[in-house]
Amino acid sequence: MAGFEGAAAAWAERMTRCLDSFGRPKRLFVFVNPFGGKKCAKKIYDAEIKPLFEAAGVSITVQETEYQGHAREVASSLDLAKYDGIVCVSGDGVLVEVVNGILQRTDWKEAIKMPIGVVPAGTGNGMAKSLLHAANETCSVSNAVFAIIRGHKQSLDVCTILQGEKKFFSVLLMTWGLVADIDIESERYRWMGSARIDFYAVVRIMNLRKYCGSIQFVPAPGYEEYGEPIKQVENCMVESLEQNGKSHPSSYPGPSVEFQASEWRFVDGPFIAVWINNVPWAAEDIMAAPEAKFSDGYMDAVILRDCPKADLLALLMKMSDGSYIKSPFVTYLKVRAFKLSPGQLVENPKRGGIIDVDGEVIARGEGTYGKSQHQDVMAYGPHIQLTVHRALATVYCPKRIR
C-alpha cells in the first residue's frame, strides 16, 4: 500500500513517545552472574534479555560478576548519574549485594532511589517470583524483562541486621534452624541439582535438630498475644551504630526507631526453626510468607518450636502455596523489630547452628558446615537484631502493586 512505510514509522514513533511518557528506563547497568544456578545466566542474557532491551531502544552496560561480593563493590562506586536503573541477571544474591553496596555509599540517600530490576537466572529467584506473582504473572525471564522495560516501580522495605558494630542489609529473609540447615548444608549435594533441597530436607527431618536460644520482638498491631512480656528495662531498646558510639554518617546507619520496653515480648526455645521474611516467596517454589507485603514496614516471622516428624514432612510439602502456616505447629506473626539470641543444639551442646540471610551465611556456630573454611560477617551466640526501614529501596515491577 502506498504510504504504508511512512504510516508505520509514524505509528512506531507515536508508540515510543507514549512508552517514554511512562518514565521507562533508557539506560541500564546490567549485572550478569555467570556462576549462579545452573550457570546459564550469560546464555540467557545473550539469547533472551539483550534482544528485548535492544528492541525497546534501551542502552545497556553489562558487567559480569567475577567473584562473591563483586556486585557490591561495583555498586558502591558506580556513577549512577549515567543510568536510569540497575538490573540483576541472577538469583537473589546479586540483588542483595547491590543493595548493600548502595547503602555503603556516601550519597546513599539519593543512590537508594535508583530502581533495581531482577531477572530470574539463579537458584532461588525469590524476589522475581514475589514481584511477578503479585501481578498474577508467571515467573519467567521475558516477563521480568518486560516489567523493567515498562518502567513501573514498587517501593521495597529493607531490613538492617545489626550485631555490635557489624551490619548487613537484607531484602528477602533471615533463617535459623531447619530451613537454614537445609539450604546451606545441602550445598555438598549440588551435583543433584534442585533435587538436593528435597533430598536433604528428608535427611534433616529424619534426624531432626532442635536449638536452644531465645527471641525477642515488637509485634505489629493485632499480634500482641504471642509471647511473654519483657519485664526488665535493660537491653530492650533497638540498638543502632550511633547508640553504640560508632556513628558512620558517610553510609546508611539503619532506621532510626525506638520502642518502649513494654512493647517487647519474648519466647524461649528450644526451636526447630525461626524464619523472618520481607517478601512472600523465598524461592520460586517456596511461599514462605503468604501475608508479606513489599512496603508495609513489617517483617513476617515464622516460628516452629515443636512438631512430630510426620507432620513436619507434610508441612514442608505445603510450602509451595503457603498453606503450611495454617498448621497448629506454626506460629506466624508480623513484627516491627526482632532479636535472635541463637544457642547450641539440644542434642549436642558443643555444636551451634547456621544463620542464613538472603542465601548468605552471616554466622555459624562451632561444628557447623563450612565453619573452618569461611570467615563470617557476625559471631554466633550474641544477639542479632533486625529492624525494618519502610519503602527504603525501589524495584521494577510488572505493574503498580498495592
Side-chain angles (χ1 to χ4, degrees), residues 44 100 217:
I44 292 172
N100 275 268
F217 54 91

Side-chain angles (χ1 to χ4, degrees), residues 226 271-273 302-315 324-332:
Y226 187 73
F271 299 96
I272 292 175
V302 178
I303 301 165
L304 189 63
R305 299 182 69 198
D306 192 23
C307 186
K309 293 180 180 180
D311 293 282
L312 184 54
L313 184 59
L315 184 151
Y324 81 101
I325 68 167
K326 298 177 182 178
S327 167
F329 300 105
V330 174
T331 297
Y332 186 102

Side-chain angles (χ1 to χ4, degrees), residues 350-396:
K350 295 183 179 180
R351 180 184 175 118
I354 294 172
I355 300 176
D356 177 11
V357 175
D358 296 353
E360 178 177 337
V361 178
I362 65 166
R364 305 170 210 249
E366 292 298 325
T368 55
Y369 176 76
K371 174 67 176 177
S372 60
Q373 290 85 13
H374 297 87
Q375 182 64 40
D376 299 316
V377 177
M378 297 178 184
Y380 186 89
H383 80 253
I384 293 175
Q385 169 190 292
L386 289 80
T387 48
V388 61
H389 190 140
R390 185 175 185 179
L392 179 63
T394 302
V395 289
Y396 287 113

Side-chain angles (χ1 to χ4, degrees), residues 22 36 46 67 90 193 339 351 362 397:
F22 297 153
D46 290 335
Y67 47 85
S90 176
K339 290 182 181 180
R351 180 184 175 118
I362 65 166
C397 63

